Amino acid sequence: MFTSIAPRYDLLNHLLSFNVDRLWWRRAARTFAHILRRRDASILDLCCGTGDMTFALHRQARPFQPRILGADFSHAMLQLASLKSKGTNLRWLEADALQLPFASEQFDLVTAAFGFRNLTDYDAGLREIARLLRPGGECGILEFGEPRGILGRLYRIYFKRILPAVGTVISGVKGPYAYLPASVERFPDPDEMLARMRQASFREASWTPYTFGIAGLYRGKK
């Protein structure tokens, strides 16, 4: 599915979010500036797609240049990320986020932006992130939410009807943009997600809503 929409993935992300997605990535990256500005830090961006969150981390880290690695299951997405990253020290890995080829306690920060909800097992994904983090390391999961009230009702009309129609027309592929609202709808609400994080051994688990709760950052420490 992601291979089929890879050629126009970036365009559609920016168009369908009215470019607000760029603000979300930058804000999430700023949250972890204290780690990104350490030259000895190691950072892993999971479910990185074409690398927009990875690039946001890279920009926030300048000029310190810590080790930043993006990982994704889609070869087509990673090909685009690699083309976009020429001239940087960013590296890319094709891998399953539930079974990553790293020894334990390798990273100071693990992030995932708008990809964690695609995992087949959220608890296993959290356990894998916890395994990879060094003691005191942090995780940041940026994901969609569902705002409440009048705004929430208007947003759901856009998200469930208009967005899938526009995405299908521009991408030329049926299915993926209907999958998007369905995947958000089945994703745990903030209270449940925070409980899952605590169960996976994360302390100081928190959720910060972005843009009235349309998106939000889950954060925790090992």
Side-chain angles (χ1 to χ4, degrees), residues 10-219:
D10 287 345
L11 168 66
L12 281 163
N13 278 349
H14 304 324
L15 176 67
L16 295 172
S17 71
F18 303 98
N19 264 332
V20 177
D21 58 336
R22 299 178 191 270
L23 300 178
W24 294 335
W25 291 319
R26 285 201 295 267
R27 184 176 175 183
R30 283 198 303 269
T31 300
F32 300 105
H34 59 291
I35 297 175
L36 293 165
R37 293 177 180 176
R38 285 171 36 199
R39 295 184 187 276
D40 64 340
S42 290
I43 296 99
L44 174 65
D45 184 33
L46 284 179
C47 311
C48 67
T50 60
D52 282 322
M53 184 66 206
T54 322
F55 289 112
L57 296 168
H58 177 69
R59 287 189 292 269
Q60 185 64 49
R62 291 174 180 167
F64 300 96
Q65 295 189 332
R67 176 187 174 226
I68 303 178
L69 176 68
D72 199 275
F73 208 38
S74 169
H75 181 74
M77 292 286 189
L78 290 176
Q79 283 183 310
L80 292 170
S82 182
L83 288 172
K84 290 161 59 178
S85 67
K86 288 183 178 179
T88 74
N89 66 337
L90 296 174
R91 297 293 179 267
W92 310 98
L93 174 71
E94 188 173 336
D96 181 352
L98 298 180
Q99 294 180 319
L100 290 159
F102 301 110
S104 299
E105 301 184 358
Q106 294 293 304
F107 295 96
D108 301 285
L109 171 64
V110 177
T111 61
F114 306 114
F116 186 87
R117 73 180 185 284
N118 298 318
L119 300 184
T120 56
D121 187 331
Y122 303 138
D123 294 322
L126 289 170
R127 289 194 298 270
E128 184 70 345
I129 292 172
R131 181 185 72 81
L132 295 178
L133 285 170
R134 293 168 178 156
E138 299 188 36
C139 80
I141 298 171
L142 182 59
E143 264 302 348
F144 286 114
E146 293 195 299
R148 299 177 180 178
I150 295 175
L151 176 63
R153 289 196 290 272
L154 294 173
Y155 174 72
R156 280 187 284 277
I157 292 171
Y158 170 73
F159 200 53
K160 294 183 180 181
R161 298 181 184 178
I162 299 173
L163 183 150
V166 174
T168 298
V169 169
I170 295 177
S171 69
V173 182
K174 292 182 178 180
Y177 286 91
Y179 163 82
L180 175 58
S183 68
V184 172
E185 191 171 29
R186 72 166 179 262
F187 192 70
D189 63 28
D191 288 341
E192 182 185 343
M193 184 63 180
L194 291 173
R196 288 170 180 257
M197 291 178 71
R198 295 184 189 103
Q199 189 173 18
S201 79
F202 287 102
R203 54 191 176 85
E204 299 180 32
S206 65
W207 178 70
T208 303
Y210 291 179
T211 317
F212 308 106
I214 292 173
L217 179 67
Y218 294 93
R219 185 179 179 186

